[in-house]
Amino acid sequence: MDSKKSNQLNRRKFLGLSALGLSSLTILPSWTINGIKIAPSDRVTMGFIGLGQQGMNDFRSFSAVPGVEVVAGCDVDSMKTERFKRTVEEWQESLGLAPRVDKYERYEELLERKDIDAVEVCSPDHWHALMTIHACQAGKDVYVQKPLSFTIAEAEKMVRVANDTKRVVQVGSQQRSSAEFQKAIALVQSGAIGHIDKVYAKVGDPPSPLDLPEMKVPANLNFNLWMGPLNDPNIHYHSDLCPPISLNPPEREKLWGAWRWYRETGNGFTADWGAHMFDIAQAAIGMDGSGPAEIIPKGVDGADYMTFKYLNGVVMTEQPYLEDMPNAQGIKFIGDDGWIEVARGYLACSKSDLVPDELRGRRPKNLTPEERKKMFEEMQKAQKEGGGSFEISSPHMEDFISCVHSRQKPIASVEVGASTAITCCLGNMATEMQRPVNWDPATHSFGTDKEAWNHRLYNYDYRGSYKL
């Protein structure tokens, strides 16, 4: 065999080192594969909390990152923990490794494990704060799905605890790691289209009141534990809130958890997609770690759209960024010397020579019923084959794992996630109160606005023994 080839560590074999089957070798300072020494310090051992379809997609992304080892999964649905176990162990076996993944219903037990370096938190939003805070206090680094938090007070507390414990916390706003969005941010900040006056960011509607009928809780789901700190007596089980799966035959969720669309349990499209599009907009206009100073809801004081006014003079409105595609999520930056449009897989500029060919992508278009059906069928096929999600982003996971090693701030740090989550909360607060809201982004204060201070999206009393 060619000696040069024999000394190469191919990706499959390197990934093999990251799975649990070689954990017995950690008693050694290093081990050798094909002449290449791999130190145990190069591995990051992970546990996953929240194992719905986004958690499964995130596992697939993390499994592509060299050095990642997966040892545990936690969910309040026992069928989903079993699905996770089978999926991860199948991955381990495909690498020729001894399979083993431990299952938990209560995340606190997972956090007690000394062998876990980092966790992913992919629960519903109302659990993000407690799980992330407890993980930091347990000495774990955290990859937490977006939006960072359900309320403003939670976001503030998460920042303080992450910094006090010196933990790496990456928020799953993965567009931060996508080339088309990075280029858009760079163009705006370089002055390529002049001074920015307006930003159109299309994300979707705020949440609506919960109106799902009550259903019987299945035996495999601990719905009381799913509720956690939520204290609204109107919340009851419906399968849309916790989409069921089947193990035999294998069948994944038919929809994304609908908890996100209701006021009692989520923050609607405002946060679900605001955590992506508002996030990129604030990064581009220099408002990371800050936020708007005035928020005006749609239909109030002449505002045609939900409006965010920043101290640097920029006005961001939640409105279509493409005139012929009113529901397409994306962003348009408008300067005094041109414009930039950006969405997933698409980047355009009034100065077309500024956009590299490889980033232009394809402009979103209105699909015919036949095209929409074909796209849905292709998505279903890809999901059955173990992929095909708009939320998969290995580069974002790679950035997190790199920062776990380097102890540097990740690209979507907890401070960044907090400022974005707070912006989303402020938009929903103004919408519900049907009046403008003034906010000091430096001191995080509503001043003398008692109604805003008392709003549940600033803070709410947790249920029972749960405490923030």
Side-chain angles (χ1 to χ4, degrees):
M1 180 182 293
D2 188 304
S3 61
K4 182 177 181 180
K5 289 184 178 179
S6 68
N7 283 328
Q8 291 177 339
L9 181 65
N10 65 40
R11 181 173 181 81
R12 180 179 177 85
K13 289 181 178 178
F14 188 87
L15 284 173
L17 296 175
S18 71
L20 184 61
L22 289 180
S23 62
S24 61
L25 296 179
T26 60
I27 59 174
L28 301 176
S30 64
W31 62 91
T32 303
I33 298 292
N34 284 349
I36 304 295
K37 284 190 173 182
I38 306 299
S41 58
D42 289 335
R43 295 180 301 136
V44 174
T45 304
M46 292 190 66
F48 284 70
I49 304 171
L51 307 176
Q53 61 178 326
Q54 187 58 58
M56 297 299 294
N57 290 335
D58 286 352
F59 156 70
R60 295 184 182 100
S61 292
F62 272 112
S63 71
V65 181
V68 167
E69 174 182 336
V70 180
V71 299
C74 173
D75 199 277
V76 297
D77 185 330
S78 61
M79 293 183 69
K80 291 178 181 178
T81 53
E82 179 61 25
R83 175 181 64 177
F84 181 79
K85 178 181 174 66
R86 294 181 185 183
T87 302
V88 177
E89 291 185 347
E90 181 180 349
W91 167 64
Q92 293 167 339
E93 288 181 330
S94 74
L95 300 172
L97 304 170
R100 181 183 172 185
V101 175
D102 295 323
K103 300 185 297 183
Y104 298 90
E105 182 181 70
R106 296 183 178 276
Y107 73 91
E108 297 93 339
E109 296 175 2
L110 184 150
L111 295 179
E112 289 175 356
R113 290 182 54 157
K114 302 301 182 185
D115 61 329
I116 292 179
D117 304 307
V119 298
E120 190 205 25
V121 172
C122 197
S123 62
D125 299 350
H126 65 272
W127 264 114
H128 284 188
L130 287 178
M131 290 175 174
T132 299
I133 288 170
H134 292 158
C136 289
Q137 291 171 337
K140 320 298 184 189
D141 296 321
V142 184
Y143 183 101
V144 55
Q145 260 302 337
K146 58 77 196 169
L148 178 70
S149 65
F150 184 41
T151 71
I152 292 174
E154 289 175 342
E156 294 170 336
K157 188 70 171 180
M158 293 165 84
V159 170
R160 287 197 296 271
V161 172
N163 289 326
D164 288 347
T165 57
K166 296 181 171 55
R167 305 322 303 172
V168 172
V169 177
Q170 170 92 302
V171 183
S173 295
Q174 81 275 9
Q175 290 179 177
R176 292 261 175 168
S177 296
S178 297
E180 67 271 28
F181 290 100
Q182 292 177 341
K183 182 63 175 179
I185 291 170
L187 287 173
V188 169
Q189 293 184 343
S190 70
I193 58 172
H195 176 74
I196 303 297
D197 296 311
K198 294 182 288 186
V199 179
Y200 301 160
K202 181 60 181 177
V203 300
D205 294 333
S208 58
L210 181 65
D211 59 358
L212 296 172
E214 186 170 3
M215 298 174 64
K216 182 180 179 181
V217 179
N220 55 285
L221 175 67
N222 186 335
F223 188 67
N224 183 60
L225 194 54
W226 182 93
M227 285 275 295
L230 292 177
N231 67 3
D232 194 315
N234 294 321
I235 302 173
H236 49 250
Y237 172 75
H238 186 280
S239 60
D240 283 4
L241 298 178
C242 316
I245 66 167
S246 171
L247 294 173
N248 187 22
E251 186 174 302
R252 60 186 292 163
E253 298 89 337
K254 290 184 171 63
L255 72 162
W256 296 97
W259 49 263
R260 68 197 71 212
W261 313 132
Y262 300 103
R263 289 180 182 177
E264 294 83 353
T265 53
N267 271 310
F269 280 101
T270 308
D272 198 57
W273 275 87
H276 292 305
M277 300 307 176
F278 293 164
D279 182 69
I280 295 298
Q282 291 195 153
I285 64 174
M287 288 291 114
D288 265 349
S290 182
E294 184 180 8
I295 305 89
I296 305 171
K298 177 180 178 180
V300 174
D301 289 354
D304 293 326
Y305 305 97
M306 183 188 294
T307 300
F308 303 86
K309 295 184 177 181
Y310 294 84
L311 293 175
N312 61 2
V314 177
V315 176
M316 178 174 71
T317 48
E318 192 289 310
Q319 70 176 86
Y321 81 107
L322 299 174
E323 291 184 1
D324 59 332
M325 287 287 290
N327 295 318
Q329 280 114 348
I331 311 167
K332 185 169 187 174
F333 298 96
I334 301 173
D336 57 16
D337 191 27
W339 53 263
I340 293 169
E341 294 172 346
V342 63
R344 293 183 181 180
Y346 169 67
L347 177 61
C349 180
S350 55
K351 302 175 182 179
S352 60
D353 59 309
L354 295 180
V355 180
D357 290 340
E358 65 271 17
L359 295 182
R360 293 181 189 277
R362 184 173 63 182
R363 188 181 189 276
K365 66 173 185 176
N366 287 307
L367 300 178
T368 65
E370 292 76 19
E371 289 173 326
R372 191 174 301 278
K373 180 181 178 182
K374 182 180 179 181
M375 181 183 71
F376 181 72
E377 290 173 347
E378 289 175 349
M379 288 174 60
Q380 283 189 316
K381 180 181 178 182
Q383 288 177 343
K384 289 179 180 178
E385 294 172 352
S389 168
F390 65 82
E391 291 287 283
I392 285 183
S393 179
S394 292
H396 206 54
M397 281 68 172
E398 289 171 1
D399 177 71
F400 171 67
I401 296 300
S402 175
C403 291
V404 169
H405 289 301
S406 69
R407 313 312 297 169
Q408 300 299 308
K409 287 282 187 182
I411 194 169
S413 68
V414 66
E415 292 86 358
V416 163
S419 61
T420 301
I422 289 171
T423 296
C424 298
C425 288
L426 291 170
N428 283 340
M429 290 173 65
T431 298
E432 288 185 27
M433 293 189 287
Q434 275 299 287
R435 64 172 176 81
V437 172
N438 293 308
W439 169 255
D440 188 328
T443 62
H444 283 206
S445 174
F446 293 110
T448 59
D449 189 342
K450 292 183 179 179
E451 185 181 11
W453 283 117
N454 291 323
H455 196 282
R456 75 178 194 291
L457 290 181
Y458 174 71
N459 194 22
Y460 71 98
D461 292 328
Y462 280 7
R463 181 172 67 114
S465 61
Y466 293 99
K467 301 296 179 185
L468 181 63

